[in-house]
Amino acid sequence: MNTTVRQVVVELCRATGMTTVFGNPGSTELRMLRDWPDDFRYVLGLQESTAVAMAAGHALGTGRAALVSLHSAGGVGHALGAVFNASRDRVPLVVVAGQQSRALLPLHPFLGADEPTQFPRPYVKFSRQPERAADVPAAFAEAHRVAMTHPRGPVFLSVPEDDWDRETEPVAPRTVHGGYGAAPDALAQLAAALDESERPALVVGPAVDDERAVREVAELAERTRAAVWISPLSGRSGFDERHPYFQGFLPPVADQLAARLAPYDLVVALGAPLFTYHVHVAGPPLAAGTELYHLDCDPGQAAWLPVGTSIVTTLRPAVRALAGLVRMSDRPVPPVRAVAPPARRGPDISPELLMDLLGERLPRDTVLVEEAPSHRDALHARLPVRAEGGFLTTGSGALGWGLPLAVGRALAGGGRVVCVLGDGSALYSVQALWTAARHRAPVTYLLLDNGGYGAVRALGHRIGVAPVPGTDIAGIDFAALAASFGCPGGAVERPEELPAALDRVLSLGPDEGPTLLRIRVPADDSPLYEPWAR
């Protein structure tokens, strides 16, 4: 029996665990979808960027690459903001886009993609349109291996529509054991520096959570009695935020970040793009007298850091080895982080009150997805994350990620997901509520409605641009909008109504599907990145 490209790719998907496919089909994908396997699930996103974000949530939940099917040219263009997020957050995705028939390509056809491999760059690790139909399965298998090799990330494959029915040879699945260790002398040098340090600190980046090195980092912190910070605008947590050594979150502003780290003579950044800034402020990246070591699996990131000594390595084996090399320290333990005072009660629901109430109600193992830029400081100050993999957000800032990311993460299993998002963020990808309802994804959405793009207004205030035009989006009935997509919606306006409303939506079980609670909060024009405690 002759074997087609489609049949071989289907078997590769089974072998790699990619039997849940996220996509938005178009004419150039129809032949790929012929004879759809009974053991595969197609998760429809009503816009391509939501399909990519849902796939990313699924990949983060399963630890495996997720498969995304996009339409040629325009569909890939729609998805690129989400591909950008997946790249910066190191999410392994295999993105397969349709392309017009090979015979039509010289004629620049309708819906054809010109130079398709260039379109998603530089935000994919691999980008290819195979020269022959027979080469598609081998390219597919290579793309998957590249996506899953550290530093993990999205890859792209363009497949002309007539390739799927062509004959080809089977491709045997292969295993590539990822990960590589640091040079022993480099770790020994760092261990000696930690032993000699008087005031060390660790900066935990998103790669700690991605590489499942949370326990190893905690052991290293306890052996060295190092203070622990989380890197600026991290897309993950990576450390138990109720641990007594935890100090907080570094700000994405150069002078503030340098000031936070100035008390330490040695800083060890673990999987962290440490110098992630949002606004420009002149000044050195670190104060004089602060030495930096940086461990990460990405040689590109190691190359662009402006200061410090970088060790290119995967984190889990390196941190485990480092903890075995350092002496058990008797230096004073770090000071205990100040606790935010209880939110003041007023006539309106403040974000601080909401975070306090959530902190009292969320079980430790709840997966929390966040995309509420105006209220992220309040969330970090009052809603500590404790579980490995328990916090997901965008580490790059392209909005529209959180709402569909939560759908994909919920479909990956593991219990109910809680997603805290702003009204502005939600409107980038609100159609993902339809997918959540259709698949009964166990997600509780808490939508903070301040009537506009509060983060943009706050940043404008900070740099002297006020008022900022185009930042008001009041007048949307989010509960009704959610209900129109099949997702039950409710609303709460008064502080005294909030506890009961939260109890209701947080008590839903994993089989009860999605729900959305719109929470009215006042507009706030205070400057961004001014946490409650300096």
Side-chain angles (χ1 to χ4, degrees):
M1 181 179 295
N2 295 332
T3 305
T4 65
V5 168
R6 181 176 53 256
Q7 290 168 326
V8 175
V9 170
V10 165
E11 289 304 319
L12 283 169
C13 289
R14 287 196 179 101
T16 54
M18 294 192 298
T19 56
T20 298
V21 182
F22 298 84
N24 184 279
S27 56
T28 55
E29 292 75 59
L30 289 176
R31 298 189 193 188
M32 184 188 78
L33 302 176
R34 191 200 305 273
D35 300 325
W36 188 249
D38 292 338
D39 58 326
F40 278 47
R41 174 170 60 167
Y42 191 98
V43 179
L44 172 61
L46 301 185
Q47 205 264 7
E48 288 88 348
S49 65
T50 66
V52 171
M54 289 188 293
H58 197 264
L60 292 172
T62 63
R64 301 189 302 269
L67 180 60
V68 189
S69 170
L70 300 180
H71 195 30
S72 58
V76 176
H78 289 159
L80 285 183
V83 172
F84 167 65
N85 276 342
S87 174
R88 292 293 174 87
D89 291 350
R90 298 183 180 178
V91 184
L93 301 178
V94 177
V95 179
V96 179
Q99 171 66 298
Q100 275 286 13
S101 299
R102 288 184 183 270
L104 282 178
L105 293 181
L107 303 176
H108 298 276
F110 184 73
L111 293 177
D114 295 334
E115 300 187 21
T117 61
Q118 299 302 312
F119 202 7
R121 290 190 181 277
Y123 299 113
V124 291
K125 296 178 62 182
F126 169 106
S127 186
R128 186 173 300 172
Q129 180 172 286
E131 295 295 329
R132 304 179 306 156
D135 299 330
V136 169
F140 188 98
E142 182 184 358
H144 176 265
R145 292 192 292 268
V146 172
M148 289 296 290
T149 301
H150 290 291
R152 303 190 302 178
V155 296
F156 179 79
L157 198 64
S158 172
V159 181
E161 63 170 349
D162 50 338
D163 283 6
W164 294 103
D165 293 317
R166 303 292 186 187
E167 294 181 10
T168 190
E169 296 294 326
V171 173
R174 292 179 54 229
T175 299
V176 176
H177 292 286
Y180 42 91
D185 57 342
L187 287 182
Q189 178 186 358
L190 175 52
L194 280 166
D195 287 340
E196 295 168 5
S197 170
E198 295 182 5
R199 300 174 307 280
L202 307 180
V203 177
V204 172
V208 170
D209 191 77
D210 182 56
E211 297 183 34
R212 299 294 188 262
V214 174
R215 292 183 181 179
E216 287 77 7
V217 170
E219 180 183 357
L220 178 63
E222 290 161 4
R223 288 188 65 84
T224 59
R225 294 191 175 182
V228 179
W229 293 83
I230 289 179
S231 61
L233 298 174
S234 177
R236 313 278 186 91
S237 177
F239 198 77
D240 183 348
E241 296 173 22
R242 289 189 176 174
H243 192 288
Y245 292 2
F246 180 64
Q247 303 297 297
F249 301 82
L250 292 174
V253 183
D255 58 347
Q256 294 183 27
L257 186 148
R260 296 291 201 283
L261 297 179
Y264 308 107
D265 59 352
L266 178 65
V267 172
V268 182
L270 301 169
L274 180 58
F275 305 110
T276 299
Y277 304 139
H278 191 198
V279 294
H280 174 66
V281 176
L286 291 175
T290 300
E291 183 180 9
L292 173 67
Y293 277 79
H294 167 251
L295 279 67
D296 193 79
C297 66
D298 185 358
Q301 182 168 288
W304 69 252
L305 287 182
V307 297
T309 299
S310 288
I311 301 174
V312 178
T313 177
T314 45
L315 292 177
R316 193 171 183 180
V319 176
R320 183 184 294 127
L322 190 59
L325 291 171
V326 297
R327 296 194 300 265
M328 182 70 78
S329 177
D330 59 359
R331 65 173 62 92
V333 299
V336 177
R337 182 192 186 202
V339 176
R344 292 192 299 268
R345 299 293 179 113
D348 299 314
I349 298 174
S350 68
E352 291 77 14
L353 174 62
L354 170 63
M355 303 309 171
D356 280 352
L357 294 174
L358 279 178
E360 297 168 0
R361 286 162 169 77
L362 286 185
R364 174 174 178 157
D365 59 352
T366 298
V367 175
L368 179 68
V369 177
E370 177 270 334
E371 195 176 291
S374 302
H375 313 300
R376 187 165 176 178
D377 284 340
L379 183 148
H380 282 326
R382 299 169 181 275
L383 188 53
V385 175
R386 306 192 65 186
E388 185 175 74
F391 178 72
L392 303 174
T393 186
T394 169
S396 56
L399 296 183
W401 183 247
L403 195 156
L405 187 81
V407 177
R409 179 59 188 85
L411 292 179
R416 197 162 192 88
V417 173
V418 173
C419 179
V420 177
L421 71 162
D423 51 345
S425 298
L427 290 172
Y428 280 77
S429 53
V430 70
Q431 63 270 46
L433 291 175
W434 180 88
T435 307
R438 184 175 181 84
H439 291 270
R440 296 189 59 79
V443 187
T444 294
Y445 289 102
L446 303 175
L447 189 148
L448 283 71
D449 183 359
N450 63 7
Y453 297 119
V456 178
R457 288 196 298 250
L459 183 57
H461 181 98
R462 178 184 177 86
I463 64 175
V465 180
V468 180
T471 56
D472 295 325
I473 51 174
I476 299 171
D477 187 339
F478 284 96
L481 184 59
S484 73
F485 285 118
C487 174
V492 59
E493 301 276 348
R494 309 291 299 171
E496 61 270 17
E497 302 167 347
L498 185 57
L502 289 175
D503 288 338
R504 183 176 67 255
V505 297
L506 295 175
S507 65
L508 296 173
D511 299 324
E512 295 185 71
T515 190
L516 182 144
L517 180 65
R518 175 261 195 186
I519 303 167
R520 178 64 182 171
V521 296
D524 182 4
D525 292 330
S526 62
L528 197 60
Y529 307 129
E530 297 292 339
W532 64 274
R534 293 298 306 270

